[in-house]
Amino acid sequence: MSRRVVRQSKFRHVFGQPVKADQMYEDIRVSKVTCDSSFCAVNPKFVAIIVESGGGGAFIVLPLAKTGRVDKNHPLVTGHTAPVLDIDWCPHNDNVIASASEDTTVMVWQIPDYVPVRNITEPVVTLEGHSKRVSIISWHPTARNVLLSAGCDNLVILWNVGTGETLLVLDNMHTDLIYNVGWNRNGSLLVTTCKDKKVRIIDPRKQQIVAKNFEEPIALQEMDTSNGVLLPFYDADSSIVYLCGKGDSSIRYFEITDEAPYVHYLNTYSSKEPQRGMGFMPKRGLDVSKCEIARFFKLHERKCEPIVMTVPRKSDLFQDDLYPDTPGPEPALEADEWLSGKDADPILISLRDGYVPVKNRELKVVKKNILDSKPPLGRRSHSVCDPDSSRPALEEVLEEIRALKETVQAQEKRISDLENKLCQFTNGTD
């Protein structure tokens, strides 16, 4: 008798479990707009969800710990004049998020650590360059402030968010609608899928398609007959790919290896309710003490449900084999270094002691040629015809605006703190 050899893998017994009801985010009006994006973005501090909104586009940002019923007056991030189609947290600053919209613009926002009292309406920077709706955004994995956007004008644009300028425009590469875009690990290459049924690997700095006509696939995995959009999430640390079907109620996961047959089915997490979208937590936001290797944020019609994937282990010790060093929040390159041709792998961190998010770091946008030429000190007398005569006045106005904004932010934080204290008093008297 021949015995079937079972392939050895530490991930054979990964299992998924939803959190308890009080750990979900309830009463969220998830967007009903038709779009193939995931509608949800998460990081170790916040969960952001695209929501229904009258007269424009909006998304809601909740601190991870703020579970339970969401107040109907909870502030939103508003500013787009049409529905928001995609959102993405900056991998190098947990308080910075980008949004793409049907209004053809991309906006970048600074999210405070405290819950603001009013809607956030002023982006740090607005990026204008597309002529049709923008449905995809993705931050560069290793270079600071480099953001990619792709629109229904079949363009891919790379931006330097730190200056608000366009770095590169990739045109004449796609003959039809771009479905998805992804970076490789060090951000030297892009991969795109397109309505013309072609997969393209692109070197963005050379503005060249490196590969397009692939031969036979090395592995082909039949899924099902559902025609819903598949949202793939790949964890490079464990070589596991998770496939979440939009409108489906399951998450299938597979391990990818270097030897044939390359793709190994692990398991399926099934539930009753279909998913409207899905968020995927970066590795540094996971609970290593519970052997958590992935956490999803499943969007329902009116709520967001975290789903935890764990590998059962008997020991309480840190499991080195489950948690190799993983990309941390520090960028490896500046935008201009990357543009000039430099490449660098992500700067890795250990999760042995867990990860503690850093405090809010302000994104500073320095637009070139606006205030570059400050007048030298001591030069105070200007003729009427001197074009520089308005500079000190302009700088004074800008300085006053900045100071007023800081005052408003401080007062909002104070109001928020007092409201929290008030809640504690009312809870104590109940």
Side-chain angles (χ1 to χ4, degrees):
M1 286 177 64
S2 63
R3 283 176 57 196
R4 192 167 68 91
V5 177
V6 178
R7 192 181 70 89
Q8 290 296 312
S9 169
K10 54 182 170 264
F11 301 114
R12 273 181 53 222
H13 302 294
V14 172
F15 75 100
Q17 204 169 17
V19 297
K20 292 176 182 166
D22 63 348
Q23 295 300 302
M24 299 182 191
Y25 306 86
E26 306 266 5
D27 266 6
I28 297 166
R29 295 169 56 222
V30 176
S31 174
K32 293 186 172 72
V33 72
T34 305
C35 187
D36 293 346
S37 81
S38 61
F39 283 17
C40 181
V42 291
N43 69 20
K45 281 187 176 184
F46 303 104
V47 53
I49 300 163
I50 302 175
V51 293
E52 287 286 284
S53 140
F59 58 97
I60 191 168
V61 176
L62 301 167
L64 274 192
K66 201 172 179 65
T67 53
R69 196 172 296 280
V70 176
D71 189 307
K72 68 177 189 299
N73 296 317
H74 190 284
L76 303 176
V77 182
T78 60
H80 286 288
T81 57
V84 175
L85 303 179
D86 197 15
I87 47 178
D88 194 29
W89 287 105
C90 174
H92 307 127
N93 188 331
D94 286 340
N95 293 78
V96 170
I97 188 169
S99 58
S101 168
E102 217 167 86
D103 66 10
T104 77
T105 70
V106 172
M107 293 182 176
V108 180
W109 309 84
Q110 181 94 28
I111 306 298
D113 283 331
Y114 59 90
V115 177
V117 178
R118 292 185 294 277
N119 286 352
I120 298 175
T121 58
E122 290 294 321
V124 181
V125 66
T126 300
L127 307 171
E128 297 173 299
H130 287 281
S131 59
K132 292 186 178 175
R133 71 184 201 157
V134 189
S135 53
I136 299 164
I137 42 174
S138 181
W139 292 91
H140 191 284
T142 62
R144 190 195 310 270
N145 291 340
V146 175
L147 178 67
L148 173 152
S149 63
C152 295
D153 49 10
N154 305 343
L155 290 184
V156 174
I157 302 180
L158 290 149
W159 309 87
N160 181 347
V161 170
T163 61
E165 294 176 316
T166 303
L167 292 176
L168 297 162
V169 178
L170 308 180
D171 52 4
N172 303 321
M173 289 193 182
H174 298 87
T175 58
D176 213 327
L177 187 65
I178 300 163
Y179 280 158
N180 206 344
V181 180
W183 294 96
N184 67 345
R185 188 168 171 83
N186 70 359
S188 60
L189 297 172
L190 298 170
V191 63
T192 66
T193 55
C194 181
K195 194 176 180 181
D196 64 9
K197 299 185 178 176
K198 289 180 180 171
V199 175
R200 294 165 172 83
I201 293 178
I202 298 168
D203 183 326
R205 289 165 299 189
K206 290 182 180 170
Q207 305 201 25
Q208 287 177 353
I209 295 172
V210 182
K212 183 163 69 172
N213 297 322
F214 294 95
E215 295 172 9
E216 286 294 303
I218 60 170
L220 184 62
Q221 183 79 36
E222 290 292 337
M223 297 297 293
D224 54 30
T225 55
S226 168
N227 60 358
V229 175
L230 274 178
L231 302 173
F233 298 97
Y234 179 62
D235 174 20
D237 294 347
S238 60
S239 300
I240 295 178
V241 65
Y242 300 86
L243 297 176
C244 314
K246 232 179 172 184
D248 193 358
S249 56
S250 62
I251 302 171
R252 297 174 181 83
Y253 37 109
F254 304 82
E255 189 173 358
I256 312 298
T257 59
D258 293 333
E259 320 85 40
Y262 306 107
V263 178
H264 307 271
Y265 171 76
L266 289 172
N267 211 336
T268 298
Y269 166 83
S270 296
S271 58
K272 292 176 184 171
E273 298 289 323
Q275 50 234 14
R276 297 277 296 275
M278 196 70 80
F280 186 60
M281 177 67 78
K283 197 51 98 33
R284 58 195 170 91
L286 302 181
D287 187 345
V288 297
S289 67
K290 293 179 180 165
C291 296
E292 181 182 6
I293 64 160
R295 193 187 315 156
F296 291 92
F297 288 71
K298 173 181 172 177
L299 299 187
H300 299 247
E301 202 169 319
R302 300 278 305 190
K303 72 177 178 186
C304 172
E305 173 190 36
I307 297 164
V308 176
M309 299 281 180
T310 53
V311 176
R313 291 282 167 96
K314 289 176 182 172
S315 169
D316 290 335
L317 297 174
F318 178 73
Q319 306 291 316
D320 314 66
D321 61 325
L322 295 184
Y323 301 107
D325 288 356
T326 196
E330 286 305 314
L333 292 170
E334 297 299 326
D336 52 356
E337 290 180 302
W338 177 79
L339 187 63
S340 70
K342 280 191 185 172
D343 289 319
D345 285 336
I347 296 174
L348 305 181
I349 57 170
S350 168
L351 296 179
R352 180 172 289 277
D353 301 315
Y355 172 77
V356 180
V358 294
K359 287 226 170 97
N360 188 351
R361 292 184 298 179
E362 190 179 349
L363 169 64
K364 288 188 167 54
V365 177
V366 182
K367 299 227 172 162
K368 291 186 179 172
N369 305 324
I370 293 180
L371 293 175
D372 276 1
S373 50
K374 290 188 178 178
L377 290 172
R379 195 172 138 200
R380 287 285 175 267
S381 58
H382 297 275
S383 70
V384 176
C385 301
D386 186 350
D388 275 348
S389 62
S390 63
R391 288 231 178 263
L394 173 62
E395 285 171 19
E396 281 167 24
V397 170
L398 289 169
E399 179 59 33
E400 189 171 349
I401 289 171
R402 192 187 64 75
L404 285 170
K405 279 186 175 176
E406 282 183 3
T407 305
V408 169
Q409 283 183 339
Q411 297 297 350
E412 285 191 343
K413 185 175 187 315
R414 179 72 181 137
I415 291 168
S416 181
D417 290 344
L418 289 171
E419 283 178 338
N420 289 337
K421 276 190 181 172
L422 188 61
C423 286
Q424 289 168 9
F425 284 131
T426 52
N427 289 341
T429 55
D430 284 350

